[in-house]
Amino acid sequence: MKLLRYLLTIALLATCLLGTAARAEETAVPPAPEPEIDGYIVEIDVPVRLLSASDPSFPEMSEVYAPASVYQAPDASTVNILRAWGVLRSVEPNYVVTLDDTPTLQNAGDDSAQDDAVLLDASGDEYQWYMSALDMDWVRAQGIRGGGVRVGIIDSGLYTEHQEFQGVKVLGGANYCVSKTDANRSNVVDTLGHGTFVSGLIAAAENNAGLVGLAPDVELVPLKCFEGKNGSIANIAEAIYDAVDTWHCQVINLSLGIEKDSAVLRKAIEYADKAGVIMVAAAGNLLSGSHNPNGDPLNYPAAYPEVIGVGSIGSDLSLSYFSYRNASVYVCAPGQNLRGPSYSNATKYVSGYGTSYAAPMVTAAAALTLSARPDMSAAEFRDLLRDTVRDAGDAGYDTSYGYGTLHAGHLLSAATGNLSHQVTLYRQELSEIDGPTPALFAAAYDENGAFLAALDVSPPVALDREPNTLPILAGDVDDYPEETFRVPGAARWKLFPFDRFTYSPIQASVELYGGVPDGDSP
């Protein structure tokens, strides 16, 4: 009888354990499928030309980075030959990398086209909401346009015939989907549209057409690593080395990623970082299902510490639903409801979204910064970017927004030592205030307390609306007499300066006055 009870207990426990395992399997986030492989990447002890000379039948291997004897082996049998000869130092699969964010064709001048894309001025265009969100008017007013900075676009190529690239400085570039000796090596024609879209966000011409690039005076270098949607680790690594050694790029945009850590890709990134190159990459997109509550998979190269991983925000400055949440997110930038040049028609445009299109916003900001501060190192730029973002999400760093959302005005103000001219209005609390309508006065003082100037606050903005923070202006302090402005009598308000004044000796000060008689002009 005891034996029977023992057996029943064992059976009951087994049933419970199996049920628990089944429920866990049902709720677990399914693992990402293994990426396809296009041969192998090998590092060998001798140059491949010596192997070919010693055995003419030796299989042909494509060069990835000859100075380090890194090559692409076509198959496992070639790897086995290298191993048998004792010259194989390392080997890894050459994973296929796929571009996720593909724009949709539309005619930017046709009211009947998809999304009713009507050309408007940059400040009012629904597809260029990011211009005001990044405070680009202020940046342009300083004459900062990216001149003298070379930007490598590792992507699907470029449609140079589009009207947005007429007059833009585009260097030849190269096609890494073919070998160095292939006749198409210099053919960077875009067959997908991804690279053309990315390039337009960075450097589209100011021609009163479909969009304006954030840094229209940069030099673009199209480094084609994708034919259609597919490229590979070998293509990307070779392009990174070339961007440094051949094209002398100061900034590299990598609107791509793979959920596999690659030693070959990591070494290429480290090489570019040692050369002082600023690198920006997409943090990744949720293509289906739900976000992993424990964090989405890391996306490489965004997850490497030398690379600025970029997530996406929408026009309300909140996190895009598709933007990966993980430790590869350094900052977020506009990546929703955007427009870029078509890759098949010189006057058409496309709409698109994704972290692939958020990354070039930060790339352009890096180019603008180097244009104003050519002496800035890659590490210094990463620190400055971190210190000038708008904090979002949890205070400080979080894996959704990173350190916060890009603000080009703050970034360039800090880079040029002109940051102290930003003042924000904050509703501290609501309460009835007796007596005359109070007034607020905002003034700038130097570090010794001497008065410099007052902020221009006319015409006054509407102060009775949410959200809690409401910008008054993001412009310069003008030299004119002290001025005040009134606020609603039913609200108590507090003025405080932008919280990152460490870059400038000028400080802002705010005083609350007892009141201004009703009816008087502020």
Side-chain angles (χ1 to χ4, degrees):
M1 193 69 178
K2 288 183 178 180
L3 178 60
L4 179 60
R5 283 200 302 270
Y6 176 75
L7 291 175
L8 287 173
T9 302
I10 293 296
L12 181 61
L13 286 172
T15 302
C16 292
L17 288 173
L18 287 172
T20 302
R23 286 192 298 274
E25 186 175 348
E26 288 173 4
T27 57
V29 177
E34 283 291 307
E36 297 178 19
I37 293 174
D38 181 17
Y40 297 86
I41 306 174
V42 296
E43 186 179 0
I44 56 180
D45 289 326
V46 297
V48 73
R49 57 182 173 79
L50 297 181
L51 300 178
S52 300
S54 64
D55 184 355
S57 66
F58 183 78
E60 182 177 352
M61 296 199 303
S62 301
E63 177 184 316
V64 176
Y65 189 53
S69 294
V70 180
Y71 301 91
Q72 182 180 351
D75 48 39
S77 62
T78 304
V79 175
N80 290 334
I81 292 172
L82 294 170
R83 185 177 286 113
W85 286 2
V87 297
L88 182 65
R89 191 181 306 162
S90 66
V91 59
E92 69 174 63
N94 182 29
Y95 289 113
V96 172
V97 182
T98 303
L99 294 174
D100 296 330
D101 313 321
T102 305
T104 305
L105 184 65
Q106 68 186 44
N107 186 331
D110 182 354
D111 290 357
S112 64
Q114 180 184 348
D115 294 335
D116 192 25
V118 180
L119 297 180
L120 301 170
D121 292 334
S123 60
D125 188 349
E126 63 175 302
Y127 288 98
Q128 293 195 100
W129 57 269
Y130 55 88
M131 297 294 285
S132 59
L134 300 179
D135 198 13
M136 286 304 299
D137 285 346
W138 183 89
V139 175
R140 290 290 170 81
Q142 314 311 305
I144 304 171
R145 302 165 58 84
V149 180
R150 190 170 293 183
V151 179
I153 310 295
I154 296 180
D155 217 292
S156 62
L158 179 63
Y159 178 45
T160 58
E161 299 302 313
H162 198 281
Q163 63 183 358
E164 293 294 355
F165 300 112
Q166 304 312 301
V168 174
K169 302 178 184 72
V170 179
L171 305 187
N175 182 358
Y176 299 92
C177 300
V178 297
S179 68
K180 281 192 172 182
T181 58
D182 194 289
N184 286 314
R185 182 70 171 188
S186 61
N187 181 2
V188 296
V189 173
D190 193 349
T191 59
L192 179 67
H194 193 275
T196 298
F197 195 109
V198 165
S199 299
L201 292 173
I202 295 172
E206 289 184 291
N207 54 9
N208 296 317
L211 72 156
V212 178
L214 298 183
D217 284 358
V218 300
E219 295 178 347
L220 285 181
V221 185
L223 305 172
K224 179 173 179 171
C225 292
F226 295 82
E227 194 62 70
K229 281 192 170 188
N230 292 331
S232 72
I233 293 291
N235 297 355
I236 296 165
E238 184 183 2
I240 292 172
Y241 285 116
D242 254 13
V244 177
D245 293 343
T246 302
W247 299 105
H248 309 294
C249 296
Q250 294 138 287
V251 187
I252 298 176
N253 188 86
L254 296 135
S255 287
L256 54 91
I258 186 172
E259 294 169 9
K260 284 282 186 182
D261 188 0
S262 160
V264 171
L265 182 58
R266 190 185 327 119
K267 287 180 180 179
I269 292 293
E270 290 170 352
Y271 182 84
D273 182 66
K274 287 178 181 177
V277 178
I278 297 172
M279 290 167 285
V280 182
N285 305 306
L286 182 71
L287 300 180
S288 62
S290 303
H291 289 284
N292 190 326
N294 298 318
D296 295 318
L298 292 177
N299 210 38
Y300 297 93
Y304 296 131
E306 301 85 358
V307 179
I308 299 167
V310 185
S312 171
I313 56 173
S315 57
D316 61 355
L317 305 186
S318 64
L319 194 67
S320 301
Y321 67 92
F322 53 80
S323 188
Y324 260 10
R325 286 93 160 130
N326 60 38
S328 70
V329 180
Y330 192 82
V331 295
C332 283
Q336 259 184 275
N337 196 32
L338 305 177
R339 182 167 66 206
S342 163
Y343 73 98
S344 60
N345 186 296
T347 60
K348 287 190 176 183
Y349 294 81
V350 293
S351 61
Y353 63 90
T355 58
S356 280
Y357 306 141
M361 302 285 181
V362 177
T363 295
L368 293 169
T369 303
L370 289 183
S371 180
R373 286 280 308 280
D375 60 322
M376 185 172 290
S377 70
E380 288 171 338
F381 174 77
R382 291 194 294 268
D383 289 346
L384 187 64
L385 177 65
R386 175 199 64 203
D387 292 342
T388 56
V389 294
R390 292 188 186 94
D391 197 10
D394 297 337
Y397 181 85
D398 62 75
T399 55
S400 295
Y401 290 91
Y403 287 104
T405 64
L406 173 68
H407 192 293
H410 295 169
L411 176 66
L412 271 300
S413 293
T416 57
N418 195 23
L419 186 61
S420 64
H421 302 159
Q422 175 80 19
V423 174
T424 303
L425 186 67
Y426 174 74
R427 181 156 59 191
Q428 187 179 33
E429 62 180 309
L430 287 176
S431 62
E432 291 298 328
I433 298 178
D434 297 327
T437 303
L440 294 177
F441 168 72
Y445 296 81
D446 65 18
E447 55 189 349
N448 298 317
F451 171 78
L452 294 177
L455 286 169
D456 184 2
V457 292
S458 57
V461 292
L463 304 179
D464 55 350
R465 55 169 281 242
E466 296 290 350
N468 287 336
T469 59
L470 182 66
I472 294 179
L473 81 166
D476 292 339
V477 173
D478 297 322
D479 290 320
Y480 44 69
E482 299 179 2
E483 227 173 294
T484 61
F485 70 102
R486 297 190 307 178
V487 295
R492 180 172 295 162
W493 300 84
K494 175 184 178 183
L495 272 175
F496 67 94
F498 178 57
D499 63 356
R500 303 188 198 279
F501 274 77
T502 57
Y503 295 97
S504 171
I506 301 174
Q507 301 294 315
S509 178
V510 177
E511 297 178 26
L512 177 61
Y513 288 82
V516 175
D518 286 331
D520 284 5
S521 297

